[in-house]
Amino acid sequence: ALKLLSPGTYLREGIDYIIQSKAGGLIVLGDTPETLDLTEGGFRINCPYTPTRLYELSKMDGAIILSEDIKRIVRANVTLRTSSTIPSNETGLRHRSADKFAKETEQIVLAVSQSRNTLTLYLKDQHYIFRECSTLLSCANQTMFALTQHLKALQNAGTILNWAELSGDVTLADVVAAIQLCERVRRAEQELDRYRIELGTQAQSLQYVIPELTTEIESGLLIIKDYYHESLRDASEAFEAILGLDVHSLANPSDISEALGYSRDVCNTFEVLKPRGYRMLSQVPRIPFNIVENIVHKFKTLDRVNIAAVGELQAVDGVGKAQASTIKHTLAHMKSTAVQPEVMALSAFE
């Protein structure tokens, strides 16, 4: 829905004309029979859409109906009929009608406020108020800075976890710290993507994509798969619990630990954890993830994979002699070249 209204789109151009003229407007995107049945009065326009036509028609009272593909202006000056049983927290008549009509028809409804000079999008039970480009760019740049800082910290936490896994000394605190940073990186990237969409052609400065970002996020999410407490919950429950944490809960290591199925007392839990091996094995070149899953299913822990002979690895479905040798060589190389990392000092941002 946001993409339809990004700066530079044909629809946004017409909306901007309305906002710049300090006029109001009510626009429905969709002309299904069910939608049209809930309108009355007005004029049948049925002409090709242009930004100037939208602006001129907005000078009349009532709503404008556009076709779902936004190629035609279907009707103008119509009244939207909504059920009195549909709740709305909006106060202004225009925004209240938009909110209730969006809930009833599940169509996108746009309300341009004449007094506040703002655009609000309604879709089902959601609504979103668009902000000025200057404000969005400022927020986006802050998010980009946060993303780079969190990514550096995640890479450092990953290195610490690599060392701990290869030396057989993983603590719950190591795992929780890495998952926390991975989630911060993932959420910052999602937020940045939303800014890119909402800014449209104004987002040139945000188009740079950090090359290693996707790999780091995927690797970080595998930490959850490596360490969730199998006797208390399954992998999908652990993922759902962690990805569903709000900002405050994500900042609390105890909540992350509980989501994994462990005690909330992270600092006083000294049990050495055994990784299943998803994350480390996914770093082995030319080994598809379905084979990684087969290996983990057979050996259960990374330690057992490390001590397994080439012949034992070959017995796993999908693993040939060359792949078994590659796995053994790569894990041995990781262990022999690993250097104990230093804990990175927190940045001013943190």
Side-chain angles (χ1 to χ4, degrees):
L2 289 176
K3 282 181 180 179
L4 294 174
L5 291 152
S6 297
T9 60
Y10 218 29
L11 178 58
R12 184 58 179 268
E13 187 180 348
I15 297 289
D16 284 343
Y17 287 159
I18 298 171
I19 293 174
Q20 289 160 14
S21 68
K22 300 190 183 302
L26 187 57
I27 302 161
V28 178
L29 307 186
D31 59 339
T32 63
E34 295 78 14
T35 300
L36 295 178
D37 283 345
L38 293 173
T39 67
E40 61 184 16
F43 305 100
R44 295 175 184 271
I45 306 295
N46 201 26
C47 69
Y49 168 87
T50 67
T52 52
R53 283 173 178 162
L54 181 69
Y55 163 61
E56 293 296 340
L57 289 169
S58 71
K59 294 177 182 178
M60 294 190 290
D61 290 334
I64 298 171
I65 310 292
L66 301 182
S67 61
E68 202 158 352
D69 58 7
I70 318 176
K71 290 183 177 179
R72 292 180 300 111
I73 300 175
V74 181
R75 294 184 185 180
N77 189 225
V78 301
T79 300
L80 303 181
R81 293 189 291 109
T82 56
S83 171
S84 59
T85 60
I86 298 174
S88 175
N89 293 322
E90 298 289 358
T91 52
L93 184 59
R94 179 181 289 123
H95 288 75
R96 190 175 181 82
S97 295
D99 184 23
K100 295 177 72 170
F101 200 75
K103 289 174 179 175
E104 187 162 355
T105 64
E106 299 190 352
Q107 302 284 9
I108 296 171
V109 184
L110 309 173
V112 179
S113 172
Q114 187 172 5
S115 58
R116 291 180 294 164
N117 227 28
T118 56
L119 169 64
T120 306
L121 180 150
Y122 295 90
L123 177 58
K124 298 180 182 178
D125 292 325
Q126 303 179 76
H127 79 279
Y128 185 78
I129 301 173
F130 285 80
R131 293 169 287 176
E132 292 183 359
C133 284
S134 57
T135 303
L136 287 171
L137 279 170
S138 176
C139 293
N141 287 329
Q142 291 178 38
T143 302
M144 176 70 87
F145 176 73
L147 177 60
T148 56
Q149 296 299 305
H150 289 322
L151 183 59
K152 288 177 186 176
L154 174 60
Q155 289 169 332
N156 183 257
T159 305
I160 291 171
L161 195 58
N162 284 349
W163 169 265
E165 288 185 354
L166 292 168
S167 58
D169 193 27
V170 180
T171 66
L172 182 59
D174 294 330
V175 172
V176 167
I179 290 173
Q180 183 184 60
L181 287 164
C182 176
E183 258 304 273
R184 285 177 173 171
V185 168
R186 190 186 68 83
R187 293 181 187 195
E189 171 60 8
Q190 281 188 338
E191 188 177 348
L192 199 59
D193 274 343
R194 184 165 179 157
Y195 284 127
R196 290 187 183 114
I197 290 169
E198 193 173 345
L199 282 163
T201 55
Q202 306 296 315
Q204 290 92 340
S205 62
L206 304 175
Q207 295 308 320
Y208 171 72
V209 178
I210 302 170
E212 66 273 25
L213 185 60
T214 302
T215 302
E216 291 292 343
I217 292 174
E218 289 175 352
S219 179
L221 290 174
L222 287 177
I223 299 170
I224 301 173
K225 204 169 175 67
D226 264 341
Y227 290 100
Y228 72 90
H229 203 305
E230 196 170 24
S231 62
L232 297 178
R233 60 182 58 206
D234 60 28
S236 60
E237 289 174 334
F239 272 103
E240 186 177 342
I242 289 171
L243 301 187
L245 292 174
D246 60 28
V247 175
H248 301 294
S249 298
L250 184 62
N252 186 352
S254 297
D255 288 331
I256 298 173
S257 178
E258 185 176 49
L260 286 170
Y262 294 96
S263 163
R264 290 182 61 84
D265 193 4
V266 178
C267 295
N268 294 316
T269 301
F270 302 107
E271 175 192 358
V272 175
L273 304 182
K274 300 291 185 184
R276 294 180 177 87
Y278 288 107
R279 190 178 66 93
M280 293 295 275
L281 288 169
S282 69
Q283 298 176 45
V284 178
R286 296 182 296 280
I287 302 295
F289 193 71
N290 65 312
I291 292 180
V292 170
E293 289 186 311
N294 292 343
I295 294 170
V296 173
H297 181 72
K298 180 173 178 61
F299 292 99
K300 308 303 182 188
T301 69
L302 182 63
D303 286 348
R304 291 178 181 173
V305 176
N306 269 320
I307 61 174
V310 171
E312 291 177 289
L313 287 170
Q314 276 185 260
V316 176
D317 185 31
V319 178
K321 185 176 181 181
Q323 289 174 314
S325 299
T326 300
I327 293 167
K328 291 295 292 181
H329 173 76
T330 303
L331 293 178
H333 179 73
M334 286 179 179
K335 194 165 187 175
S336 64
T337 57
V339 177
Q340 186 168 10
E342 296 179 4
V343 177
M344 188 174 72
L346 291 176
S347 64
F349 171 80
E350 287 284 358

